[in-house]
């Protein structure tokens, strides 16, 4: 084949044979990249993409943790190449946080599963644990659909509360993910004239990524090896920063005066907490009952 023929072949889309004038075909959208290349070339390109991801990860995590709202503001302004996308940042942060529980041994608090309004509930609430913390899961006495099956699961859960709790824990990450769109709706209520729903969703995804990373630092600060005073100090700083980060991020992204931003922050926090406790925990318990 002559050099001219090779050039002509290279200038055509391999899928539809349309002329190529860029990295993608204007007719069918297929990439113009040729994957029939030496393995060394593909390996170097793959390493380049990994290193690029690492650099974007570093450029995203630093402002995400220490400059609340900056990544969201830059992303919404169109400066997106330097940062992880909102969804990827959320998934990476969630993977890191929930992955800690598979890496480190965690002493779980005692678990009590009972029927709401029963004598078992009073006993569970009155029970004292050595660590001062406990997990209580209240189940309804009856359900309107599939009550016979529910009674069987309820009896097993009350007989083996630790196993039922472990089943429940598996769905907490899913509950957070499903609640992100609802948290964007809550933002819409407070900032309905400032951006579209997708803008609020970007804010919510990055804010959840910040929360997971902060909870990761909180978790690591309590690992054995640090003096008690150092643990208390670190966790105190993280707790204060968690409280301050939301109004800082809201004001940086949406603007507004500090008094109005603080009031909106309180309203958002209360609505988010109440919504997640109701919808999120109901989802977790429901899924645990279905799969236990």
């Amino acid at each position: 084949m002559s050099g001219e023929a090779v050039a002509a072949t290279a200038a055509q889309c391999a899928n539809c044979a349309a002329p190529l004038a860029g990295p993608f075909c204007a007719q069918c959208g297929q990439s113009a990249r040729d994957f029939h290349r030496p393995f060394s070339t593909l390996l170097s390109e793959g390493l380049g993409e990994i290193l690029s991801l690492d650099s974007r990860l570093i450029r995203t995590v630093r402002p995400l943790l220490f400059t609340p709202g900056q990544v969201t503001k830059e992303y919404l302004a169109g400066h997106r190449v330097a940062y992880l996308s909102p969804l990827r940042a959320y998934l990476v942060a969630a993977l890191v946080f929930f992955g800690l529980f598979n890496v480190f041994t965690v002493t779980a608090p005692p678990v009590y599963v009972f029927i709401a309004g029963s004598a078992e509930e009073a006993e569970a609430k009155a029970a004292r644990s050595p660590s001062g913390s406990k997990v209580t899961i209240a189940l309804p006495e009856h359900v309107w659909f599939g009550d016979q099956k529910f009674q069987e699961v309820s009896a097993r859960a009350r007989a083996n509360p630790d196993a039922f709790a472990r089943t429940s824990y598996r769905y907490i990450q899913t509950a957070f993910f499903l609640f992100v769109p609802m948290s964007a709706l809550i933002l819409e209520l407070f900032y309905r004239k400032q951006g579209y729903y997708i803008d609020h969703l970007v804010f919510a995804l990055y804010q959840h990524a910040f929360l997971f990373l902060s909870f990761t630092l909180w978790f690591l600060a309590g690992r054995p090896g640090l003096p008690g005073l150092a643990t208390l100090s670190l966790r105190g700083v993280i707790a204060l920063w968690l409280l301050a980060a939301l109004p800082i991020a809201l004001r940086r992204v949406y603007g507004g005066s500090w008094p109005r931003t603080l009031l909106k922050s309180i309203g958002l926090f209360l609505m988010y907490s109440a919504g997640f406790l109701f919808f999120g925990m109901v989802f977790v318990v429901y899924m645990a009952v279905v799969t236990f």
Side-chain angles (χ1 to χ4, degrees):
M1 184 180 292
S2 66
E4 293 181 359
V6 172
T9 302
Q12 291 182 345
C13 174
N15 183 50
C16 65
L20 289 173
F24 295 93
C25 177
Q27 297 295 326
C28 67
Q30 178 166 290
S31 173
R33 297 175 65 189
D34 181 15
F35 289 95
H36 296 287
R37 289 169 290 170
F39 177 74
S40 59
T41 303
L42 295 175
L43 180 62
S44 63
E45 289 187 359
L47 289 174
E49 290 182 1
I50 292 173
L51 292 175
S52 174
L53 175 61
D54 288 345
S55 64
R56 281 184 285 135
L57 180 63
I58 294 172
R59 288 197 297 267
T60 302
V61 169
R62 190 179 302 160
L64 200 63
L65 279 174
F66 303 110
T67 315
Q70 184 64 34
V71 177
T72 302
K73 185 177 180 180
E74 292 287 332
Y75 190 88
L76 292 177
H79 307 148
R80 301 173 182 177
V81 176
Y83 304 104
L84 292 181
S85 67
L87 180 59
R88 180 170 291 183
Y90 173 94
L91 293 175
V92 168
L95 180 65
V96 170
F97 175 66
F98 289 102
L100 290 175
F101 298 96
N102 296 322
V103 175
F104 295 97
T105 302
V106 180
T107 303
V111 180
Y112 300 89
V113 180
F114 49 81
I115 300 298
S118 66
E120 294 174 318
E121 179 177 8
E123 293 175 3
K125 291 183 177 180
R128 302 290 180 181
S129 65
S131 63
S133 60
K134 58 186 176 182
V135 175
T136 57
I137 302 176
L139 299 176
E141 185 175 2
H142 296 282
V143 294
W144 66 275
F145 180 78
D147 187 62
Q148 183 177 354
K149 177 66 175 178
F150 172 77
Q151 295 302 325
E152 296 175 3
V153 174
S154 176
R156 291 204 310 271
R158 284 178 285 140
N160 196 346
D162 291 329
F164 184 74
R166 286 193 297 270
T167 303
S168 302
Y169 296 155
R170 291 203 298 265
Y171 297 101
I172 292 178
Q173 183 175 353
T174 306
F176 270 108
F177 184 74
L178 294 176
F179 196 70
V180 169
M182 190 171 294
S183 64
L185 284 175
I186 297 174
L187 275 167
E188 179 100 20
L189 293 176
F190 287 86
Y191 294 99
R192 60 183 180 275
K193 295 182 180 179
Q194 294 172 264
Y196 297 101
Y197 173 78
I198 191 65
D199 301 327
H200 306 315
L201 185 59
V202 168
F203 184 97
L205 284 166
Y206 277 129
Q207 194 64 19
H208 277 80
F210 163 78
L211 289 175
F212 287 136
L213 293 175
S214 299
F215 291 151
T216 298
L217 295 177
W218 173 279
F219 180 87
L220 294 176
R223 293 294 84 202
L226 283 176
L229 182 59
T231 296
L232 288 175
S233 300
L234 283 173
R235 286 191 161 181
V237 170
I238 294 170
L240 290 174
W241 186 236
L242 279 168
L243 291 175
L246 179 59
I248 293 173
L250 288 173
R251 191 169 187 269
R252 178 169 281 126
V253 175
Y254 296 105
S257 65
W258 274 114
R260 288 176 63 87
T261 301
L262 289 173
L263 287 175
K264 289 183 177 182
S265 299
I266 295 172
L268 280 166
F269 175 77
L270 293 176
M271 290 186 68
Y272 179 92
S273 301
F276 186 78
L277 285 174
F278 182 76
F279 294 103
M281 290 300 99
V282 167
F283 168 80
V284 168
V285 174
Y286 171 78
M287 292 303 299
V289 168
V290 170
T291 59
F292 183 62

